[in-house]
């Protein structure tokens, strides 16, 4: 008698079956969006070198309504990437400063506070304040 | 006294005929203190003796009764029917594994992966009865969490990375590798990190984190893998920058 | 000691790119949101006095070494982080096998490395040379 083993396969649409899987996929997409912004910022430096009109054209392109609203969506993904990154740091804690790992929510909270502080520092040190 | 009835939708797969797994429905008497495994055993004893599933201890320590219950990997002995969504209880074999029959999956591949990380103390003088291998409570604390793994493989069923690449070493084997790396008596850390620093090792993990969510023993394999990535990286960098240094 | 199961070969570059991915994760998480807000949204949505991205304003800030360092770190970090994630997303989508993965490594790591070098060039240009 032949016996057939049913082959292993991942369920189709696995990432829609569980909200945590969906959150994971969005987080990964947010990470990829970061690279996209890396290239956009690099392009901004190129336009800056090319002079005022090139730079202004680039900035205006970014601010045309369709691009602007697409940017809002992508910005939301970047924010989700940042928040989930702070959660991951709490959940992994590869480097521990305490004997026992801290509860992940504590680490997450510390990271968010640090994030706010760092963002404020960027506003003042890099962009010269309000 | 049974209060009412509950419907079990159980995945059936017949290895003689092949084909796709199909669902079969059973109505069983329900009491509020029943777990899913009780329901399966009721079916086996009273309704359909051909239904095949693994179980042994009924107390969450043998790790053999895992199945996907309502789409999520769980130990059927520790899952109360009353905690399920109202309506049917759907029981399927653990995701991502080949199916042998009904709810029984083939985990030979997992056992090979487990063996590949050497989940036991590796030491040149191990077994020398003239020696003492002293452990203090804090030494045990360092690996207690990972040592609680019962090899139930729920984490593999929850891992979409393993689902897409069956060669990935996976959560439980990695967590057990860390358990022995952290053991003060062990000398096999470098060897284990070398095994994990491979194409089929820890690098495929994208930290989905669901393995730690479904783990019935709170082993937290997801965190263990990130720690291993860190350990493997520091070992690797040391070897790249100081080729003459000790292997660990 | 002997291995019970033949162990596959160790990988050489993955720990390096994983480290850059992790560092990039911190950099993007902490620095990118505020940066994007100031450059893309502050002025168009009238959420900020003035326009931090306007040519004259930005050019004036760009003269400072700290600002240049900030841009280099941010661009490099985001590229190494995002390309690593994209690689694993594509592998998950079925782009697998030695040839496919070598191609992914070549293209994505190439983008990260050359993009970072480009950012370094612009950060140093007009300051060191």
């Amino acid at each position: 008698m032949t016996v057939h083993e049913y082959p292993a396969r991942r369920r189709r649409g696995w990432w829609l079956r569980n909200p945590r899987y969906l959150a994971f996929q969005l987080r990964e997409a947010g990470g990829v969006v970061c690279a996209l912004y890396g290239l956009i910022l690099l392009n901004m430096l190129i336009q800056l070198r090319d002079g005022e009109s090139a730079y202004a054209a680039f900035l205006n392109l970014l601010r045309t309504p369709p691009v602007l609203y697409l940017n809002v969506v992508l910005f939301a993904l970047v924010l989700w990437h940042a928040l989930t990154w702070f959660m991951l740091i709490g959940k992994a804690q590869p480097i521990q400063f305490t004997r026992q790992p801290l509860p992940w929510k504590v680490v997450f909270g510390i990271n968010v506070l640090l994030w706010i502080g760092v963002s404020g520092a960027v506003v003042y040190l890099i962009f010269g304040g309000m | 006294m049974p209060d009412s009835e509950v419907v079990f939708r159980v995945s059936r797969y017949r290895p003689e005929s092949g084909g796709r797994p199909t669902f079969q429905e059973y109505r069983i008497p329900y009491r509020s203190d029943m777990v899913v495994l009780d329901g399966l055993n009721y079916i086996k004893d009273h309704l359909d003796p051909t239904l095949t599933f693994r179980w042994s201890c009924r107390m969450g320590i043998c790790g053999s009764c895992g199945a996907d219950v309502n789409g999520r990997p769980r130990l059927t002995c520790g899952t109360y029917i009353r905690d399920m969504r109202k309506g049917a209880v759907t029981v399927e074999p653990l995701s991502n594994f080949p199916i042998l029959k009904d709810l029984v999956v083939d985990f030979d591949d997992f056992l090979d992966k487990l063996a590949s990380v050497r989940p036991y103390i590796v030491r040149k003088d191990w077994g020398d009865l003239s020696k003492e291998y002293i452990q203090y409570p804090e030494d045990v604390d360092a690996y207690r969490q990972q040592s609680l793994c019962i090899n139930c493989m729920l984490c593999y069923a929850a891992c979409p990375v393993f689902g897409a690449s069956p060669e990935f070493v996976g959560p439980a084997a990695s967590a057990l590798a860390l358990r022995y790396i952290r053991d003060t008596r062990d000398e096999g850390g470098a060897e284990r990190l070398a095994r994990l620093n491979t194409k089929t090792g820890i690098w495929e993990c994208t930290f989905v984190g669901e393995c730690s969510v479904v783990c019935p023993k709170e082993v937290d394999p997801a965190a263990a893998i990130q720690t291993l990535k860190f350990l493997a990286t520091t070992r690797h960098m040391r070897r790249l920058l100081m080729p003459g240094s000790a292997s660990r | 000691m002997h291995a019970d199961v033949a162990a596959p070969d160790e990988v050489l570059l993955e720990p390096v790119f994983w480290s850059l991915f992790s560092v990039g994760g911190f950099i993007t998480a902490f620095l990118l949101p505020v940066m994007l807000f100031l450059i893309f949204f502050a002025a168009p949505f009238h959420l900020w006095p003035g326009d931090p991205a306007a040519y004259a304003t930005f050019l004036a800030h760009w003269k400072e070494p700290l600002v240049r360092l900030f841009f280099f770190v941010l661009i490099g970090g985001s590229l190494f982080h995002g390309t690593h994630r994209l690689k694993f997303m594509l592998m998950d989508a079925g782009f697998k096998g030695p040839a496919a993965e070598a191609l992914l490594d070549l293209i994505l790591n190439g983008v990260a490395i050359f993009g970072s070098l480009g950012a370094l060039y612009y950060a140093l240009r007009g300051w060191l040379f």
Side-chain angles (χ1 to χ4, degrees), chain B residues 7-21:
Chain B
V7 178
F8 265 52
R9 281 178 80 228
V10 185
S11 175
R12 303 297 309 266
Y13 173 71
R14 294 163 189 81
E16 317 84 56
S17 48
R20 294 178 68 85

Side-chain angles (χ1 to χ4, degrees), chain B residues 2 34 48 81 87 89 100 111 152 172 179 187 229 232 245:
Chain B
M34 279 174 80
D48 186 351
I81 296 171
V89 176
L100 289 171
L111 295 180
C152 65
R179 177 253 174 273
E187 293 170 349
K229 284 179 183 171
S245 75

Side-chain angles (χ1 to χ4, degrees), chain B:
Chain B
M1 273 281 113
D3 308 325
S4 57
E5 280 192 328
V6 61
V7 178
F8 265 52
R9 281 178 80 228
V10 185
S11 175
R12 303 297 309 266
Y13 173 71
R14 294 163 189 81
E16 317 84 56
S17 48
R20 294 178 68 85
T22 51
F23 279 108
Q24 192 165 346
E25 289 200 359
Y26 303 94
R27 303 183 76 84
I28 60 167
Y30 164 77
R31 287 191 325 267
S32 64
D33 62 351
M34 279 174 80
V35 293
V36 173
L37 180 60
D38 294 330
L40 293 174
N41 273 322
Y42 184 90
I43 296 168
K44 178 111 181 155
D45 293 344
H46 298 100
L47 304 176
D48 186 351
T50 67
L51 181 66
T52 306
F53 51 95
R54 289 193 179 104
W55 65 282
S56 177
C57 75
R58 292 173 295 138
M59 51 190 283
I61 197 63
C62 76
S64 53
C65 71
D68 276 19
V69 181
N70 288 1
R72 188 190 140 163
R74 305 169 199 262
L75 293 183
T76 53
C77 71
T79 305
Y80 283 92
I81 296 171
R82 62 168 184 259
D83 296 336
M84 299 288 96
R85 253 180 308 120
K86 282 244 157 56
V89 176
T90 303
V91 190
E92 295 166 272
L94 287 176
S95 298
N96 305 333
F97 286 97
I99 304 168
L100 289 171
K101 184 175 190 299
D102 298 344
L103 302 177
V104 175
V105 295
D106 180 353
F107 55 74
D108 285 357
D109 162 71
F110 166 68
L111 295 180
D112 288 342
K113 285 172 183 165
L114 203 54
S116 78
V117 301
R118 302 170 74 80
Y120 40 81
I121 288 175
V122 172
R123 196 183 162 109
K124 287 199 186 67
D125 60 1
W126 192 239
D128 180 350
L129 297 179
S130 65
K131 279 193 173 163
E132 273 192 294
Y133 304 97
I134 294 172
Q135 286 266 285
Y136 295 101
E138 52 270 33
D139 294 334
V140 180
D141 285 345
Y143 61 78
R144 187 190 302 278
Q145 188 178 21
Q146 290 81 35
S147 74
L148 296 174
C149 176
I150 57 173
N151 299 345
C152 65
M153 299 171 296
L154 298 195
C155 50
Y156 284 78
C159 176
V161 177
F162 172 64
S165 5
E167 68 281 359
F168 169 46
V169 67
S174 301
L176 282 163
L178 184 64
R179 177 253 174 273
Y180 286 95
I181 288 171
R182 282 184 166 168
D183 193 311
T184 52
R185 298 163 294 182
D186 182 77
E187 293 170 349
E191 201 186 345
R192 288 191 196 94
L193 289 176
R195 157 68 188 97
L196 294 172
N197 181 33
T198 62
K199 277 230 176 282
T200 61
I202 46 183
W203 302 115
E204 265 197 271
C205 168
T206 45
F207 204 168
V208 180
E210 190 69 7
C211 51
S212 297
V213 174
V214 301
C215 179
K217 294 289 164 187
E218 296 181 40
V219 168
D220 202 354
I225 295 179
Q226 310 323 308
T227 304
L228 287 166
K229 284 179 183 171
F230 185 76
L231 292 176
T233 301
T234 45
R235 165 179 170 273
H236 192 69
M237 296 294 184
R238 209 177 304 151
R239 282 171 6 129
L240 286 181
L241 301 174
M242 299 180 286
S245 75
S247 59
R248 193 168 181 180

